[in-house]
Amino acid sequence: MQRVLHLPSIHHVSAYVEKILSWAAALLLPVATYTLLIRLAVYFIELLYEIFIRYQY
């Protein structure tokens, strides 16, 4: 009886953990891509700014 009751609880917990991981991935992937894009944008802006200053003087 104990094992029969214990198995569905483990399955329920694993499903819950899977759901949490899927949510975390869904939330973290866009954040990671946005931060990467922002870093690239900042890098290019700094590069262009440096070139602009060099041509200015």
Side-chain angles (χ1 to χ4, degrees):
M1 194 72 181
Q2 191 83 24
R3 280 182 183 174
V4 174
L5 284 169
H6 195 62
L7 281 164
S9 68
I10 287 168
H11 182 71
H12 186 73
V13 168
S14 69
Y16 188 67
V17 168
E18 227 172 81
K19 198 178 278 186
I20 287 167
L21 284 169
S22 68
W23 269 99
L27 286 169
L28 287 170
L29 273 169
V31 171
T33 49
Y34 277 129
T35 49
L36 194 73
L37 283 168
I38 288 163
R39 279 182 183 177
L40 279 168
V42 168
Y43 175 73
F44 277 118
I45 288 162
E46 283 180 353
L47 199 73
L48 286 167
Y49 190 67
E50 220 172 280
I51 289 161
F52 183 71
I53 286 168
R54 280 182 187 175
Y55 276 113
Q56 202 79 16
Y57 289 107

